[in-house]
Amino acid sequence: MKTLLKIITLVAALALLAGPAAASTVLYSQPPDLSASGEHPWDVLWAPGYTLADDWWLDPQLVPVPALITDVHFWYSWQMDDPEIISNVTLSIWSDVPAAGEDPSHPGQRLWYSEVGPPFNLSLIDTGAPYYRGSYSPATGDYNPNDHSQVYRADFYIDPEDAFLAVPGQIYWLGIALTVESGISPGWSTSETHFTDDAAWALTSEGIWTDLHDPDPYSPSYGESLDFAFEVTGQMVPAPPALLLLGPGLMLVWGYRRRRS
């Protein structure tokens, strides 16, 4: 099955490369909560060896065909607005395990990942009212609702030949893990956009996922769902000039499946 998926992704990438260059399309977006009034947005801290994740999909009404994920963007902050050096980022896409009984949905099988090293494309995008954002460490349970102000955006661009092919209507999870040279980790910014269940975190090696909620018992939103701020962009396939390549590509897939049967 993994080989079959690689073949399909390669065919899609070749189809795109055969057509004219096209700008990436926003396929899914959960913008950051940048409101400096009312409730304090959270930035959920990474810890060494931990992955944070949130679910997303390609809405079939907006993205009616499969798409190659060629760009991943996320928003984050540093405790006390003291930025450090990020040495490594791991992006991953996971299947969805639907909610069952009291168990919320969570990432299942890892379908794709990419290890990214410096230099990174990072930019400061917001400096709101002083200390209007909170930091929360799910690994320790510690939190500070008035910790920092600045919000950054990280942009990652993926070669189409290494991109993930997403299918409309199917729920996926975007996972992010990172390493900071100083050992002080940034936090993934939250979003006011909520999609299905809560965001989740896990010690990557164990894969036991825990959902995320507002940790502050003095907050009116205490216990409510937390979702992360990120954007998935890419290119829908097939591009019209590439239709001629898709026919031979699908024949290749059919031939592979016939040999396997």
Side-chain angles (χ1 to χ4, degrees), residues 41-127:
W42 291 101
D43 291 276
V44 180
L45 302 178
W46 279 279
Y50 282 79
T51 296
L52 303 179
D54 203 0
D55 49 359
W56 60 280
W57 76 330
L58 302 183
D59 185 340
Q61 295 185 348
L62 302 176
V63 187
V65 297
L68 284 174
I69 308 305
T70 57
D71 307 29
V72 173
H73 316 273
F74 66 88
W75 287 263
Y76 68 100
S77 294
W78 293 94
Q79 286 181 285
M80 300 302 297
D81 290 325
D82 186 15
E84 299 288 343
I85 297 176
I86 300 174
S87 57
N88 183 75
V89 175
T90 301
L91 305 173
S92 53
I93 295 177
W94 304 68
S95 64
D96 175 60
V97 177
E102 297 182 357
D103 296 329
S105 66
H106 58 83
Q109 179 184 5
R110 191 177 70 176
L111 305 174
W112 172 92
Y113 77 99
S114 178
E115 298 276 354
V116 186
F120 300 109
N121 188 359
L122 312 174
S123 55
L124 177 65
I125 60 105
D126 181 66
T127 54

Side-chain angles (χ1 to χ4, degrees), residues 137-255:
S137 172
T140 64
D142 297 331
Y143 65 91
N144 181 354
N146 302 282
D147 181 78
H148 58 277
S149 313
Q150 298 175 349
V151 179
Y152 295 79
R153 172 174 162 143
D155 302 304
F156 297 90
Y157 304 98
I158 303 160
D159 189 307
E161 294 187 10
D162 299 323
F164 176 74
L165 184 66
V167 178
Q170 184 167 328
I171 295 176
Y172 301 99
W173 287 74
L174 172 66
I176 300 176
L178 52 78
T179 304
V180 180
E181 290 186 359
S182 66
I184 300 173
S185 294
W188 195 346
S189 300
T190 54
S191 174
E192 289 186 309
T193 301
H194 298 287
F195 174 70
T196 63
D197 278 341
D198 322 308
W201 67 280
L203 181 61
T204 311
S205 61
E206 296 181 358
I208 301 174
W209 296 91
T210 303
D211 54 336
L212 289 164
H213 305 270
D214 188 320
D216 187 359
Y218 298 101
S219 168
S221 58
Y222 173 60
E224 291 185 5
S225 174
L226 294 181
D227 290 85
F228 291 130
F230 65 97
E231 192 169 84
V232 175
T233 63
Q235 297 184 29
M236 289 182 276
V237 294
L243 287 174
L244 293 177
L245 266 180
L246 279 184
L250 292 175
M251 290 297 294
L252 177 63
V253 172
W254 177 82

